[in-house]
Amino acid sequence: MKAAKVWRLGMGDLHIMPGSRNRPHIKKPMWIIALVLFVCVFLICAYIYPPESSSACYVFSSRGCKSFTDWLPPIPVREYTDEEIAARVVNRDILNSPPIVSKHPKVAFMFLSPGSLPFEGLWDKFFQGHEGKFSVYVHASQTKPVHVSRYFLNRDIRSDQVVWGKISMVDAERRLLANALQDPDNQQFVLLSESCVPLYNFDYIYNYLMSTNISFVDCFKDPGPHGNGRYSEHMLPEIEVKDFRKGAQWFSMKRQHAILVMADHLYYSKFQAYCQPGLDGKNCIADEHYLPTFFQMVNPGGIANWSLTHVDWSERKWHPKSYRTQDITYELLKNITSIDVSVHVTSDEKREVQRWPCLWNGIQKPCYLFARKFTPETLDKLLHLFSNYSTP
Ligand SMILES: *[C@@H]1O[C@H](CO)[C@@H](O)[C@H](O)[C@H]1NC(C)=O
Ligand SMILES: *[C@@H]1O[C@H](CO)[C@@H](O)[C@H](O)[C@H]1NC(C)=O
Ligand SMILES: *[C@@H]1O[C@H](CO)[C@@H](O)[C@H](O)[C@H]1NC(C)=O
Ligand SMILES: *[C@@H]1O[C@H](CO)[C@@H](O)[C@H](O)[C@H]1NC(C)=O
């Protein structure tokens, strides 16, 4: 279209040119201009709509179809920033390093809580007899917890305030990871809340986590307002909206991935600056987007894309269902442990349901090892039922 317009303008210009008495001499350059323009338009069209049938290809090349676009220089990729180049080499080397083999591998259970843990008694029963195969870390952001179980005594780490939705939540997760990484025997790092309970006995959970090389980080693409609607273009050029992901914060991570998170400054700083509730009229929740987006960009094949912690959003309220004493039955717990398909629903008007089988080393397995949210009053009933429901 543009070329045609230029051509017409050119004609007009020629007509009002004062030298019209030399008409026969003007005709020659006009034909040359026409020919050049025709060739240009033809080449542009051929570039935008590359020939698909092989007969058309031979117009351009006798060697076949692919070669036409091969003549043109490749579309340039974005030039990486200094920080990005540095991040990419560090991440690549961490991912390529073989894992450090520990003689006494342990699972780090990292509790993120405002204060005391109402289910310490249940966890005590869960840990009993498995000394040497786990370690406990508690980040209490508001009040110093009172511990009732020996497994939790002196396991509080230095903590700081946590504001819901803000980067301070991610900071608390990183603080827990850093503390737990100090023990070289810790191989898997599970993040839990004060309202979480175990769904299986220790051996089942230990083997589930230790016999796989992926991390369980929840991650899905939500084109709706509670997903991509929270993305900020200030995150460019490093984070594009096509890489923006969402997921529940409750992860279980292998050691290599915990190191990756420790090494990250680049992507973390983007979320620190541009992902917080109320910024630019958006309601970005840092802990729901930072890790899913980070792993999507750095090692998408290394994560399972679902969280090991079950929660019931079926009531479609602002908060998930909280189980009370009357809800706690053997049937409820068995229902949760029988789920072997993970489900994500987008927040746009389509409400698209994404279902993936929970594949553990290629085998479909129960998705959930933990569940929330349980109110403190349910402790006695759970203690009573535990040895019954937790046997796979
Ligand atoms: C996990 O291990 C399997 C088999 O050893 C290997 O094929 C796969 O690439 C590994 N995956 C990751 C994410 O390291
Ligand atoms: C998780 O999703 C990513 C794509 O976002 C995919 O590449 C990866 O293979 C998935 N992980 C598993 C274990 O299927
Ligand atoms: C357990 O699952 C069955 C089948 O989905 C359902 O009918 C039942 O109400 C559930 N029970 C509880 C206690 O959630
Ligand atoms: C667990 O409790 C349920 C219901 O109370 C009962 O039917 C079942 O036999 C018990 N299972 C075991 C393994 O004790």
Side-chain angles (χ1 to χ4, degrees):
M1 285 299 276
K2 227 173 190 173
K5 236 182 194 168
V6 170
W7 167 234
R8 247 183 272 126
L9 272 174
M11 284 282 278
D13 288 347
L14 285 170
H15 279 299
I16 53 162
M17 260 174 71
S20 55
R21 58 197 150 93
N22 293 332
R23 210 164 268 229
H25 293 284
I26 290 164
K27 271 199 175 148
K28 231 180 195 169
M30 254 177 62
W31 274 110
I32 293 166
I33 291 168
L35 191 69
V36 168
L37 281 173
F38 176 75
V39 170
C40 285
V41 169
F42 185 69
L43 286 177
I44 289 166
C45 288
Y47 181 52
I48 296 170
Y49 309 104
E52 259 151 42
S53 78
S54 56
S55 61
C57 291
Y58 289 111
V59 177
F60 302 102
S61 159
S62 58
R63 273 176 293 131
C65 217
K66 272 188 196 153
S67 52
F68 181 71
T69 40
D70 288 351
W71 299 345
L72 295 155
I75 296 159
V77 271
R78 181 172 61 80
E79 198 180 345
Y80 293 131
T81 61
D82 287 349
E83 249 206 298
E84 230 173 345
I85 295 169
R88 293 172 76 91
V89 294
V90 169
N91 292 342
R92 192 196 52 202
D93 274 20
I94 293 172
L95 287 169
N96 288 339
S97 316
I100 299 161
V101 183
S102 161
K103 274 195 191 126
H104 306 285
K106 292 195 273 187
V107 175
F109 290 85
M110 311 184 301
F111 291 87
L112 190 53
S113 165
S116 292
L117 298 157
F119 296 107
E120 246 178 59
L122 184 64
W123 287 105
D124 185 274
K125 196 167 179 169
F126 170 81
F127 288 135
Q128 217 161 38
H130 303 284
E131 288 79 357
K133 292 172 111 179
F134 67 90
S135 39
V136 171
Y137 301 86
V138 180
H139 183 290
S141 54
Q142 285 170 22
T143 52
K144 195 172 158 46
V146 177
H147 295 299
V148 296
S149 159
R150 60 195 153 133
Y151 301 119
F152 288 78
L153 275 180
N154 302 319
R155 301 308 301 171
D156 297 333
I157 67 162
R158 191 188 56 76
S159 308
D160 206 348
Q161 291 285 80
V162 168
V163 180
W164 180 82
K166 291 213 176 173
I167 201 74
S168 55
M169 183 69 93
V170 174
D171 293 341
E173 295 175 5
R174 287 167 67 110
R175 205 173 284 128
L176 277 163
L177 282 174
N179 276 271
L181 279 164
Q182 289 179 308
D183 183 341
D185 288 331
N186 285 335
Q187 297 298 312
Q188 288 285 343
F189 301 78
V190 188
L191 183 70
L192 299 156
S193 81
E194 79 285 356
S195 73
C196 279
V197 303
L199 292 173
Y200 290 98
N201 60 34
F202 186 89
D203 284 330
Y204 184 85
I205 289 181
Y206 183 88
N207 291 330
Y208 193 110
L209 294 175
M210 287 301 189
S211 312
T212 184
N213 57 0
I214 58 167
S215 292
F216 297 89
V217 176
D218 193 25
C219 179
F220 79 109
K221 198 174 188 166
D222 179 1
H226 302 309
N228 288 0
R230 297 169 174 178
Y231 168 78
S232 162
E233 285 188 351
H234 291 301
M235 293 182 179
L236 288 171
E238 292 89 351
I239 305 170
E240 296 175 47
V241 68
K242 72 172 172 56
D243 294 319
F244 199 66
R245 292 292 185 279
K246 183 180 175 169
Q249 77 184 112
W250 311 107
F251 62 74
S252 176
M253 217 179 260
K254 60 177 173 175
R255 191 172 179 97
Q256 184 187 50
H257 281 163
I259 295 283
L260 269 184
V261 173
M262 292 295 99
D264 178 45
H265 174 72
L266 173 62
Y267 301 107
Y268 168 83
S269 61
K270 293 275 169 166
F271 281 85
Q272 182 182 38
Y274 306 117
C275 180
Q276 44 183 288
L279 190 77
D280 291 340
K282 289 175 179 154
N283 212 20
C284 193
I285 313 293
D287 58 83
E288 287 186 358
H289 298 282
Y290 165 58
L291 288 178
T293 305
F294 175 67
F295 281 106
Q296 166 61 30
M297 298 188 71
V298 171
N299 190 208
I303 58 168
N305 301 317
W306 85 83
S307 165
L308 292 174
T309 300
H310 177 267
V311 72
D312 182 357
W313 282 105
S314 63
E315 292 177 348
R316 294 196 172 282
K317 292 192 187 146
W318 271 108
H319 294 287
K321 183 179 168 66
S322 259
Y323 299 109
R324 306 183 62 92
T325 308
Q326 61 269 28
D327 301 319
I328 308 303
T329 57
Y330 177 80
E331 192 195 1
L332 170 78
L333 294 154
K334 278 293 156 189
N335 267 9
I336 297 173
T337 54
S338 68
I339 300 168
D340 59 4
V341 173
S342 85
V343 178
H344 291 95
V345 185
T346 63
S347 64
D348 53 359
E349 66 282 358
K350 279 196 231 150
R351 298 218 153 266
E352 188 200 326
V353 180
Q354 305 174 5
R355 286 173 193 279
W356 307 310
C358 292
L359 295 180
W360 178 93
N361 292 348
I363 311 159
Q364 194 161 0
K365 282 250 191 184
C367 303
Y368 304 113
L369 302 182
F370 311 99
R372 66 186 196 108
K373 307 178 70 159
F374 290 79
T375 53
E377 67 193 38
T378 59
L379 175 64
D380 286 342
K381 213 159 170 189
L382 285 167
L383 271 174
H384 179 71
L385 282 173
F386 184 70
S387 38
N388 184 327
Y389 74 75
S390 66
T391 317

